[in-house]
Amino acid sequence: MVAVQTAAKPSLSASIETRPTSTVGEVAADMGAEGVKAPDGGWGWAVLFGCFVITGFSYAFPKAVSVFFKELIREFGVGYSDTAWISSILLAMLYGTGPLCSVLVNRFGCRPVMMVGGLFASLGMIMASFSTSIIHIYLSTGVITGLGLALNFQPSLIMLNRYFSERRPLANGLSAAGSPVALCCLSPLGQVLQYQYGWRGGFLILGGLLLNCCVCGALMKPLVGPKALKSKVLELDNQEGPEKTKKPKAKLLDFSVFKDRGFLIYTVAASIMVLGLFVPPVFIVSYAKELGNEDTKSALLLSILGFIDIFARPTCGVIAGLKWVRPRCVYLFSFAMLFNGITDLIGSQAKDYGSLVVFCIFFGLSYGMVGALQFEVLMAIVGTEKFSSAIGLVLLMEAIAVLVGPPGAGRLLDATKNYMWVFLLAGIEVVISAVVLATCNFLFIRIKSSALEDKLESITVTDDAKTEVCHKPSEISEEEEKGARQGQEKETNEKVIKKEEEMHKERVKEDRPESETVDSKAVERFLKEQRQNGDMAISPETSSLLKK
């Protein structure tokens, strides 16, 4: 009989988590909370819908609020630069509060944090409708609503990562499409509200609309394993008594992700990318006006960009989910950034409206690809367990770049009086980020060092007195990871069955009269025999009585 020494056999998923460095191009094994496998469907589609709405509110709302800027300028007697701080503070809160969101999610879970965030987002806009100065709007719309949107955005991505594994690239692409869809809806809605009810009534109605964030938060149902198996495992753990090893307390913010070489490369590349990624959408309308186009015609460029973006994101998600593309998703992300940067460089030479239309088509395509892949690549690097901490730290680093990028481009425009240099700078920054990500991944991750090659997984199998040791390389394919997860589940079931057999034998021994002697092997053979319906099962205990 072959006995497997489970104490000496590290699981495949465990070996992945304990690797000193992660391969950016590889897909981390995604097991949800408490080891529950991602269902890749079912209630996950409801979670995806909630993430779609939250992503739309988070990215489109700072731009949609700009519709009311002219009314605010007239109301409070301030300049355009003063009102522009509203959108800047919103974005700063969305990105800069990443670590705070990570701590709250690790402490209380995604659903409560999102419910509270929805209340904050709505409360901020409602309070802003009663403002008497621009400072009040900074605090209410900028800080309170921005914090509320941040408390919804990050947990929704975490839940999406837990519910999807095999179909995660498609899920990320569909959820990212919420940003251009919401922008196409919220901007016209804001104009209608301003015309019908003024900026105060518009803020009040938008505050009520943001209460839908609470509805989306209610959709984020935590993943729970099978009740029967879970209760039996807990029962076995309780019976182990003092021998049971205590689980380490979960960290509120896991800084160990900075030891991951792949995470560091991604963070640096993403921070450089954000410096120039958001510059063209901010300046494209002014660029068109500078070339002599009328306001309505110039504003149409953003609609073209957003329309292409809507279809680019889910399409890119489908491509990223292909079997031969997904392990190399980091290089697809690098290509998307390179595509976006080159588009900026070529667009800087536009001299007429037709050239700007072509630029917006290609920029919308590349911008959508970047939006669909940025969090998918991060999920693949760190996996489910550390993603809640990793995304908070990444967003904090990107917040610095978001605050520096567009204002820095504006200063360059003031100095040169030429939009060409603004688009050239943005393109160079995005191209550099693509080169950093691709080259560093190839040089420091894909090429295995001798230390990593020596790190092998050992599985010890004993057959009577013989011991066979099997070694496998640390680089594991998706099929092997899937088989390993199935093996773990089978091992857990066998452990439960074995424990039940032992408990049954103990009960049989206690109930048996002392004068009776029963062969333990016969009891074990009796427990393992399968009886057909109608057959009388004769136990070793009752056989002697029947003979009498």
Side-chain angles (χ1 to χ4, degrees):
M1 180 176 166
V2 179
V4 179
Q5 293 182 352
T6 57
K9 182 183 74 172
S11 64
L12 296 181
S13 61
S15 66
I16 294 175
E17 291 297 328
T18 56
R19 287 183 299 178
T21 57
S22 66
T23 301
V24 183
E26 294 178 355
V27 179
D30 283 335
M31 300 293 288
E34 300 181 3
V36 182
K37 184 182 177 182
D40 276 309
W43 190 256
W45 298 116
V47 173
L48 174 58
F49 173 76
C51 191
F52 175 89
V53 176
I54 293 298
T55 302
F57 278 136
S58 300
Y59 279 115
F61 208 80
K63 302 173 185 176
V65 172
S66 63
V67 173
F68 301 93
F69 282 178
K70 288 185 178 179
E71 289 291 326
L72 295 176
I73 291 172
R74 187 181 301 111
E75 176 83 14
F76 300 114
V78 295
Y80 184 84
S81 59
D82 296 321
T83 56
W85 272 103
I86 300 173
S87 297
S88 298
I89 296 173
L90 269 170
L91 288 173
M93 294 298 295
L94 180 64
Y95 282 88
T97 56
L100 173 63
C101 296
S102 297
V103 170
L104 294 176
V105 167
N106 291 333
R107 176 66 179 85
F108 301 104
C110 293
R111 180 185 276 177
V113 172
M114 291 184 67
M115 299 285 282
V116 173
L119 293 176
F120 270 85
S122 176
L123 178 64
M125 292 302 295
I126 294 174
M127 291 174 60
S129 65
F130 298 98
S131 298
T132 57
S133 71
I134 195 67
I135 301 297
H136 295 164
I137 297 182
Y138 290 162
L139 296 175
S140 54
T141 302
V143 176
I144 299 178
T145 299
L147 176 62
L149 291 176
L151 293 177
N152 277 270
F153 176 62
Q154 188 171 320
S156 67
L157 290 177
I158 294 171
M159 288 302 297
L160 189 71
N161 182 38
R162 291 177 180 174
Y163 268 89
F164 288 91
S165 178
E166 299 296 330
R167 297 177 179 175
R168 191 178 62 203
L170 174 61
N172 274 302
L174 291 173
S175 65
S179 174
V181 170
L183 183 60
C184 293
C185 296
L186 286 179
S187 294
L189 176 62
Q191 293 176 350
V192 172
L193 293 177
Q194 178 182 319
Y195 179 76
Q196 295 289 339
Y197 307 103
W199 72 269
R200 294 185 185 274
F203 274 29
L204 189 62
I205 294 174
L206 288 177
L209 187 64
L210 285 176
L211 284 174
N212 285 289
C213 293
C214 297
V215 179
C216 295
L219 295 175
M220 305 299 165
K221 183 171 65 174
L223 280 172
V224 181
K227 293 183 178 179
L229 182 61
K230 184 178 178 182
S231 61
K232 289 180 180 179
V233 172
L234 290 175
E235 181 182 350
L236 294 177
D237 290 340
N238 293 332
Q239 291 176 357
E240 291 178 3
E243 297 180 358
K244 183 178 68 173
T245 58
K246 294 183 179 181
K247 295 182 179 179
K249 189 176 180 180
K251 298 179 181 179
L252 295 181
L253 191 60
D254 191 356
F255 288 98
S256 65
V257 291
F258 284 109
K259 298 179 182 179
D260 191 322
R261 193 178 298 171
F263 175 77
L264 288 176
I265 294 172
Y266 175 89
T267 304
V268 172
S271 299
I272 298 174
M273 176 193 69
V274 171
L275 284 172
L277 183 65
F278 300 120
V279 170
V282 173
F283 290 94
I284 186 63
V285 176
S286 301
Y287 191 10
K289 293 179 181 179
E290 183 73 15
L291 294 177
N293 299 287
E294 58 185 22
D295 293 355
T296 305
K297 197 175 180 181
S298 300
L300 182 62
L301 292 173
L302 279 180
S303 300
I304 296 173
L305 192 155
F307 181 78
I308 299 297
D309 192 6
I310 290 174
F311 296 97
R313 298 192 183 216
T315 303
C316 185
V318 172
I319 295 174
L322 297 177
K323 185 176 294 186
W324 63 275
V325 176
R326 192 175 183 189
R328 303 166 183 85
C329 192
V330 63
Y331 295 109
L332 180 61
F333 185 42
S334 300
F335 169 76
M337 292 191 293
L338 184 65
F339 184 16
N340 185 269
I342 294 176
T343 302
D344 293 343
L345 296 176
I346 297 176
S348 66
Q349 306 301 317
K351 301 300 181 184
D352 54 30
Y353 187 78
S355 301
L356 291 179
V357 170
V358 175
F359 165 77
C360 287
I361 292 174
F362 283 97
F363 184 86
L365 180 61
S366 60
Y367 188 76
M369 292 176 65
V370 172
L373 292 173
Q374 58 177 340
F375 295 116
E376 165 59 26
V377 173
L378 180 60
M379 292 175 184
I381 293 172
V382 300
T384 303
E385 182 180 355
K386 296 183 178 181
F387 180 71
S388 59
S389 297
I391 188 176
L393 296 171
V394 167
L395 289 178
L396 178 61
M397 299 299 293
E398 290 183 352
I400 301 173
V402 166
L403 291 177
V404 172
R411 286 183 175 273
L412 179 62
L413 179 62
D414 293 336
T416 61
K417 307 297 181 182
N418 193 336
Y419 284 91
M420 179 188 72
W421 298 108
V422 173
F423 280 73
L424 282 175
L425 176 63
I428 291 172
E429 290 167 342
V430 179
V431 168
I432 289 175
S433 66
V435 173
V436 168
L437 182 62
T439 56
C440 290
N441 177 70
F442 181 78
L443 294 176
F444 301 111
I445 303 295
R446 298 300 297 176
I447 297 179
K448 302 294 182 181
S449 63
S450 58
L452 286 178
E453 289 176 354
D454 293 339
K455 202 150 182 73
L456 302 175
E457 180 193 20
S458 300
I459 301 177
T460 305
V461 180
T462 59
D463 185 1
D464 296 334
K466 297 180 180 181
T467 302
E468 181 181 0
V469 180
C470 303
H471 297 284
K472 291 187 178 182
S474 60
E475 189 171 344
I476 303 169
S477 64
E478 293 183 22
E479 290 78 8
E480 290 174 334
E481 292 174 7
K482 184 176 180 181
R485 290 196 294 267
Q486 293 176 351
Q488 286 179 338
E489 295 174 359
K490 183 178 179 181
E491 183 180 332
T492 304
N493 292 333
E494 290 177 353
K495 181 180 178 182
V496 172
I497 295 173
K498 185 176 180 181
K499 192 69 177 180
E500 288 181 345
E501 290 178 357
E502 293 176 356
M503 294 171 61
H504 185 82
K505 286 191 289 185
E506 292 178 359
R507 286 196 298 268
V508 169
K509 186 176 180 180
E510 292 175 357
D511 296 339
R512 185 178 68 243
E514 296 181 357
S515 60
E516 298 285 346
T517 58
V518 180
D519 188 3
S520 61
K521 293 185 177 179
V523 174
E524 184 176 358
R525 185 169 57 255
F526 163 73
L527 292 173
K528 293 184 177 180
E529 287 181 352
Q530 295 182 352
R531 303 288 177 177
Q532 297 180 354
N533 292 335
D535 292 347
M536 181 176 66
I538 302 178
S539 68
E541 300 172 51
T542 57
S543 60
S544 58
L545 297 176
L546 291 175
K547 289 179 181 179
K548 292 179 182 179

